[in-house]
Each structure stands twice: as C-alpha cells, then as structure tokens.
Amino acid sequence: MAQCPACHQQFSCGAGQHADQPCWCSLLPPLAGASLAAAQCYCPACLQRLLQQERNSATQQQKPAV
C-alpha cells in the first residue's frame, strides 16, 4: 500500500511488484517536471486531477493573447 501525498488516502501502488505487469499509472502520461528520483505515487483520482490541471495549463499557455 502507498499513501497519496495529495489526499493522504491509501491506495494500491503496483510499481515494482510484478515484472511482467506494470503499475496502473504506467498507462498514463508522466507529470511534467517529474523526475524518477523525485517522483511520488499519487492515487488514481489525484493523478488524473493533476494531469487534467497540466492539460488545462498547457491549453491556457497556447492561447494567443487578444
């Protein structure tokens, strides 16, 4: 079990548990700026929320100034 640093809920982290079956999070894109050394495991809900925030931020940055 792991504890999410965002919401503090416990969840199943599959990283490194099965060589032939990667963790569920490996199916998602990595968070921007997250290095392997500093990477934290987030629960599915928080990781999805953080990824959505990154997408929203990237979209806002791409909009031309009016």
mmCIF file of all heavy atoms in Angstrom, residues 31-51:
data_model
loop_
_atom_site.group_PDB
_atom_site.id
_atom_site.type_symbol
_atom_site.label_atom_id
_atom_site.label_comp_id
_atom_site.label_asym_id
_atom_site.label_seq_id
_atom_site.Cartn_x
_atom_site.Cartn_y
_atom_site.Cartn_z
ATOM 1 N N LEU A 31 3.737 13.141 -15.165
ATOM 2 C CA LEU A 31 3.526 14.538 -14.812
ATOM 3 C C LEU A 31 4.717 15.347 -15.318
ATOM 4 O O LEU A 31 5.854 14.893 -15.254
ATOM 5 C CB LEU A 31 3.407 14.707 -13.292
ATOM 6 C CG LEU A 31 2.140 14.184 -12.645
ATOM 7 C CD1 LEU A 31 2.267 14.214 -11.123
ATOM 8 C CD2 LEU A 31 0.950 15.012 -13.089
ATOM 9 N N ALA A 32 4.469 16.524 -15.809
ATOM 10 C CA ALA A 32 5.538 17.392 -16.307
ATOM 11 C C ALA A 32 6.498 17.725 -15.171
ATOM 12 O O ALA A 32 6.081 17.991 -14.054
ATOM 13 C CB ALA A 32 4.944 18.661 -16.894
ATOM 14 N N GLY A 33 7.764 17.673 -15.474
ATOM 15 C CA GLY A 33 8.768 18.044 -14.481
ATOM 16 C C GLY A 33 9.039 16.985 -13.433
ATOM 17 O O GLY A 33 9.845 17.198 -12.545
ATOM 18 N N ALA A 34 8.392 15.864 -13.505
ATOM 19 C CA ALA A 34 8.612 14.813 -12.509
ATOM 20 C C ALA A 34 9.801 13.953 -12.923
ATOM 21 O O ALA A 34 9.780 13.331 -13.963
ATOM 22 C CB ALA A 34 7.367 13.945 -12.361
ATOM 23 N N SER A 35 10.847 13.986 -12.133
ATOM 24 C CA SER A 35 11.994 13.129 -12.402
ATOM 25 C C SER A 35 11.784 11.807 -11.672
ATOM 26 O O SER A 35 11.003 11.729 -10.724
ATOM 27 C CB SER A 35 13.287 13.785 -11.931
ATOM 28 O OG SER A 35 13.313 13.844 -10.521
ATOM 29 N N LEU A 36 12.484 10.792 -12.107
ATOM 30 C CA LEU A 36 12.336 9.488 -11.452
ATOM 31 C C LEU A 36 12.740 9.556 -9.993
ATOM 32 O O LEU A 36 12.133 8.921 -9.144
ATOM 33 C CB LEU A 36 13.162 8.429 -12.182
ATOM 34 C CG LEU A 36 12.648 8.032 -13.561
ATOM 35 C CD1 LEU A 36 13.600 7.013 -14.194
ATOM 36 C CD2 LEU A 36 11.245 7.469 -13.490
ATOM 37 N N ALA A 37 13.764 10.349 -9.689
ATOM 38 C CA ALA A 37 14.233 10.433 -8.305
ATOM 39 C C ALA A 37 13.232 11.151 -7.416
ATOM 40 O O ALA A 37 13.096 10.846 -6.235
ATOM 41 C CB ALA A 37 15.576 11.149 -8.266
ATOM 42 N N ALA A 38 12.514 12.123 -7.963
ATOM 43 C CA ALA A 38 11.595 12.922 -7.156
ATOM 44 C C ALA A 38 10.143 12.512 -7.348
ATOM 45 O O ALA A 38 9.256 13.114 -6.771
ATOM 46 C CB ALA A 38 11.765 14.394 -7.500
ATOM 47 N N ALA A 39 9.901 11.513 -8.165
ATOM 48 C CA ALA A 39 8.528 11.114 -8.471
ATOM 49 C C ALA A 39 7.839 10.597 -7.214
ATOM 50 O O ALA A 39 8.429 9.905 -6.403
ATOM 51 C CB ALA A 39 8.519 10.041 -9.552
ATOM 52 N N GLN A 40 6.579 10.972 -7.076
ATOM 53 C CA GLN A 40 5.768 10.494 -5.970
ATOM 54 C C GLN A 40 4.603 9.718 -6.559
ATOM 55 O O GLN A 40 4.152 10.006 -7.654
ATOM 56 C CB GLN A 40 5.242 11.663 -5.146
ATOM 57 C CG GLN A 40 6.323 12.470 -4.487
ATOM 58 C CD GLN A 40 5.745 13.536 -3.579
ATOM 59 O OE1 GLN A 40 4.883 13.255 -2.756
ATOM 60 N NE2 GLN A 40 6.214 14.741 -3.722
ATOM 61 N N CYS A 41 4.125 8.760 -5.804
ATOM 62 C CA CYS A 41 2.965 7.994 -6.241
ATOM 63 C C CYS A 41 1.700 8.682 -5.761
ATOM 64 O O CYS A 41 1.536 8.912 -4.555
ATOM 65 C CB CYS A 41 3.018 6.572 -5.679
ATOM 66 S SG CYS A 41 4.301 5.566 -6.412
ATOM 67 N N TYR A 42 0.830 9.017 -6.697
ATOM 68 C CA TYR A 42 -0.462 9.610 -6.383
ATOM 69 C C TYR A 42 -1.540 8.560 -6.607
ATOM 70 O O TYR A 42 -1.390 7.682 -7.460
ATOM 71 C CB TYR A 42 -0.743 10.814 -7.279
ATOM 72 C CG TYR A 42 0.150 11.996 -6.988
ATOM 73 C CD1 TYR A 42 1.346 12.170 -7.670
ATOM 74 C CD2 TYR A 42 -0.206 12.924 -6.024
ATOM 75 C CE1 TYR A 42 2.165 13.249 -7.396
ATOM 76 C CE2 TYR A 42 0.604 14.010 -5.739
ATOM 77 C CZ TYR A 42 1.793 14.166 -6.429
ATOM 78 O OH TYR A 42 2.594 15.230 -6.147
ATOM 79 N N CYS A 43 -2.627 8.670 -5.873
ATOM 80 C CA CYS A 43 -3.749 7.755 -6.076
ATOM 81 C C CYS A 43 -4.351 8.038 -7.457
ATOM 82 O O CYS A 43 -4.096 9.098 -8.046
ATOM 83 C CB CYS A 43 -4.788 7.932 -4.972
ATOM 84 S SG CYS A 43 -5.718 9.478 -5.045
ATOM 85 N N PRO A 44 -5.124 7.112 -8.001
ATOM 86 C CA PRO A 44 -5.685 7.319 -9.341
ATOM 87 C C PRO A 44 -6.456 8.629 -9.484
ATOM 88 O O PRO A 44 -6.288 9.340 -10.471
ATOM 89 C CB PRO A 44 -6.602 6.110 -9.537
ATOM 90 C CG PRO A 44 -6.000 5.037 -8.685
ATOM 91 C CD PRO A 44 -5.456 5.775 -7.478
ATOM 92 N N ALA A 45 -7.272 8.989 -8.513
ATOM 93 C CA ALA A 45 -8.082 10.211 -8.619
ATOM 94 C C ALA A 45 -7.199 11.459 -8.632
ATOM 95 O O ALA A 45 -7.405 12.363 -9.443
ATOM 96 C CB ALA A 45 -9.079 10.279 -7.469
ATOM 97 N N CYS A 46 -6.223 11.515 -7.754
ATOM 98 C CA CYS A 46 -5.355 12.694 -7.691
ATOM 99 C C CYS A 46 -4.446 12.777 -8.911
ATOM 100 O O CYS A 46 -4.207 13.866 -9.427
ATOM 101 C CB CYS A 46 -4.538 12.692 -6.404
ATOM 102 S SG CYS A 46 -5.521 13.082 -4.934
ATOM 103 N N LEU A 47 -3.941 11.650 -9.380
ATOM 104 C CA LEU A 47 -3.096 11.678 -10.576
ATOM 105 C C LEU A 47 -3.900 12.162 -11.774
ATOM 106 O O LEU A 47 -3.428 13.003 -12.549
ATOM 107 C CB LEU A 47 -2.491 10.299 -10.845
ATOM 108 C CG LEU A 47 -1.530 10.231 -12.037
ATOM 109 C CD1 LEU A 47 -0.414 11.264 -11.913
ATOM 110 C CD2 LEU A 47 -0.955 8.832 -12.169
ATOM 111 N N GLN A 48 -5.114 11.694 -11.927
ATOM 112 C CA GLN A 48 -5.967 12.160 -13.017
ATOM 113 C C GLN A 48 -6.219 13.665 -12.891
ATOM 114 O O GLN A 48 -6.181 14.403 -13.873
ATOM 115 C CB GLN A 48 -7.304 11.408 -13.028
ATOM 116 C CG GLN A 48 -7.192 9.969 -13.456
ATOM 117 C CD GLN A 48 -6.971 9.795 -14.947
ATOM 118 O OE1 GLN A 48 -6.879 10.735 -15.715
ATOM 119 N NE2 GLN A 48 -6.886 8.548 -15.364
ATOM 120 N N ARG A 49 -6.471 14.135 -11.680
ATOM 121 C CA ARG A 49 -6.724 15.561 -11.447
ATOM 122 C C ARG A 49 -5.490 16.390 -11.794
ATOM 123 O O ARG A 49 -5.580 17.424 -12.457
ATOM 124 C CB ARG A 49 -7.134 15.799 -9.992
ATOM 125 C CG ARG A 49 -7.425 17.258 -9.666
ATOM 126 C CD ARG A 49 -7.833 17.447 -8.212
ATOM 127 N NE ARG A 49 -6.990 16.773 -7.235
ATOM 128 C CZ ARG A 49 -5.806 17.227 -6.812
ATOM 129 N NH1 ARG A 49 -5.332 18.359 -7.271
ATOM 130 N NH2 ARG A 49 -5.117 16.544 -5.922
ATOM 131 N N LEU A 50 -4.303 15.935 -11.368
ATOM 132 C CA LEU A 50 -3.066 16.660 -11.659
ATOM 133 C C LEU A 50 -2.773 16.694 -13.161
ATOM 134 O O LEU A 50 -2.338 17.720 -13.691
ATOM 135 C CB LEU A 50 -1.901 16.029 -10.897
ATOM 136 C CG LEU A 50 -1.942 16.225 -9.385
ATOM 137 C CD1 LEU A 50 -0.932 15.316 -8.708
ATOM 138 C CD2 LEU A 50 -1.693 17.675 -9.024
ATOM 139 N N LEU A 51 -3.020 15.585 -13.834
ATOM 140 C CA LEU A 51 -2.820 15.547 -15.287
ATOM 141 C C LEU A 51 -3.778 16.495 -15.989
ATOM 142 O O LEU A 51 -3.402 17.189 -16.940
ATOM 143 C CB LEU A 51 -2.969 14.113 -15.814
ATOM 144 C CG LEU A 51 -1.837 13.162 -15.434
ATOM 145 C CD1 LEU A 51 -2.232 11.723 -15.744
ATOM 146 C CD2 LEU A 51 -0.553 13.552 -16.142
#
